[in-house]
Amino acid sequence: MSRTTSIPRTTGTSTAYAVVIPTLVRDTLADCLAALAAATGPKPERIVLVDDRPDPDPGPLEHPLSVLGDLRDRTTVVRGGGRGPAAARNAGLRAVASPWVAFLDDDVQVGPHWCEQLAQDLADTTPDTAGVQGVIAVPLPGERRPTDWERNTAGLAQARWITADMAYRTDALRQVGGFDERFRRAFREDADLALRVLDAGWRVRQGRRTTRHPVRPASRWVSLRAQRGNADDALMRHLHGPDWWQKAVAPRGRLRTHVAITAAGAAACAFAALGRRRAATVAALGWAAGTGEFARSRIVPGPRTRYEVTTMLATSALIPPIATWHWLSGRWRYRNAPAWQEVAQ
């Protein structure tokens, strides 16, 4: 798609900020807010909690809010409507009047000097800097090798522009139309926003403040649900071109291999149905080799317990067709998708 680059305007040197936290009111929210309240340094002018449960019950919010102490009076709760983190952050942004807005996830814990470090990060910006990213630390077990899920979570520490801890100029966000609400999961919406901010002529830099992102508990099938993100990758390709991986400095992933494994499995079934046994055998061997290599790549770095190995074997057979399905469905769904600013207007 062609882009029109505009020159960002100078927005002053104020380091006043608000904090926006989209939440499903998980158990982690109280720890998130307690860490924010305890952090030393200039406090946020406002904290906006966006309750993104589809049918919220106000009761569960009482305990998390109680840990805020003096910051409770600066806290506003708005409804997100269950439309996903991108839409929830936009709802929070609409309630913000500060020059800067810092986005946090509800399962992170800011460092003990986070407010002070954030103020310094913002003070160090140039007028053409739209965003400053925090440093994410993911604690992993020291007594054993990390599981597949723990390794995937640890990858957040290297992710660019991750909104687990990301501060943006409010004016810059409004200039580009905020987050693209077609990203319904916590996946790629942050990279899409950053690429649009960069296309508008702004800069995004790395800050020095630190935030802890623990590995949350997850079922053994979490990797299957994660494949829905392939539809978001299809939207990224449509919006930012086939080289969006390089622009976003994102791992390429194994989609091509997943498609090849799925094609081999489908061919084996088709040839078997047609009575072409030799061709079916060759295709089946290709499927088995690809699936085995994928499973091995996930088992070897892990703890290799019976539970982990059986989970990796089962999910490694299922991930390629699920990933392929979500990718193809995303390519079809977003084949004519307009730019977000056109949708938002």
Side-chain angles (χ1 to χ4, degrees):
M1 293 180 68
S2 62
R3 302 275 179 185
T4 301
T5 301
S6 59
I7 298 176
R9 54 179 174 154
T10 302
T11 55
T13 57
S14 173
T15 60
Y17 69 96
V19 171
V20 170
I21 306 175
T23 182
L24 296 175
V25 195
R26 297 180 289 190
D27 293 339
T28 55
L29 178 60
D31 292 334
C32 174
L33 295 179
L36 179 59
T40 62
K43 299 301 183 182
E45 291 186 333
R46 173 172 289 192
I47 299 172
V48 182
L49 291 181
V50 186
D51 187 343
D52 201 38
R53 293 173 295 170
D55 187 18
D57 173 7
L61 266 174
E62 293 176 3
H63 170 63
L65 291 175
S66 69
V67 305
L68 284 170
D70 293 342
L71 292 180
R72 178 66 181 88
D73 293 337
R74 305 187 189 189
T75 303
T76 301
V77 178
V78 300
R79 296 285 181 86
R83 296 182 296 131
R89 293 191 188 103
N90 283 344
L93 177 62
R94 289 191 289 270
V96 167
S98 304
W100 290 90
V101 54
F103 295 101
L104 296 174
D105 286 348
D106 71 350
D107 56 352
V108 304
Q109 299 161 16
V110 300
H113 309 292
W114 184 84
C115 296
E116 179 181 349
Q117 293 170 334
L118 173 60
Q120 189 61 54
D121 282 344
L122 302 183
D124 290 343
T125 59
T126 55
D128 64 342
T129 299
V132 187
Q133 178 179 344
V135 177
I136 301 298
V138 179
L140 294 176
E143 72 281 2
R144 58 167 174 80
R145 295 179 178 182
T147 64
D148 181 69
W149 171 239
E150 290 168 340
R151 295 194 305 274
N152 286 338
T153 304
L156 297 175
Q158 307 301 322
R160 285 286 188 95
W161 313 310
I162 180 173
T163 40
D165 180 356
M166 186 73 189
Y168 274 109
R169 288 191 192 270
T170 306
D171 283 350
L173 293 182
R174 288 171 177 157
Q175 177 187 341
V176 301
F179 290 86
D180 189 330
E181 296 178 9
R182 290 170 295 190
F183 291 94
R184 299 295 296 267
R185 289 165 291 277
F187 190 68
R188 303 302 189 204
E189 83 291 352
D190 43 14
D192 166 73
L193 174 65
L195 289 179
R196 286 187 285 116
V197 167
L198 293 172
D199 283 346
W202 295 91
R203 296 174 61 234
V204 180
R205 59 179 289 270
Q206 177 71 59
R208 288 174 290 184
R209 66 191 186 277
T210 58
T211 293
R212 186 172 178 265
H213 193 307
V215 180
R216 68 175 185 269
S219 80
R220 69 191 310 176
W221 310 113
V222 64
S223 59
L224 302 184
R225 293 195 299 272
Q227 301 313 309
R228 298 172 183 172
N230 285 284
D232 300 312
D233 285 351
L235 178 56
M236 288 290 288
R237 186 182 191 279
H238 179 79
L239 295 175
H240 301 286
D243 62 341
W244 75 267
W245 303 90
Q246 289 81 11
K247 295 177 182 177
V249 198
R252 179 76 190 195
R254 300 179 62 107
L255 179 64
R256 293 179 179 177
T257 304
H258 291 335
V259 172
I261 292 172
T262 302
C269 294
F271 285 137
L274 294 172
R276 300 176 58 181
R277 297 180 59 184
R278 180 173 298 180
T281 300
V282 171
L285 289 173
W287 173 86
T291 302
E293 184 278 328
F294 180 39
R296 183 180 184 279
S297 72
R298 301 171 72 207
I299 291 171
V300 169
R304 306 183 198 178
T305 61
R306 176 177 296 182
Y307 180 89
E308 179 75 0
V309 170
T310 56
T311 299
M312 294 301 99
L313 289 173
T315 55
S316 294
L318 295 171
I319 283 175
I322 294 174
T324 301
W325 166 255
H326 284 298
W327 166 254
L328 293 176
S329 64
R331 289 292 301 271
W332 175 259
R333 185 185 318 145
Y334 300 121
R335 65 192 184 282
N336 297 317
W340 171 243
Q341 281 185 307
E342 298 174 24
V343 176
Q345 289 174 353

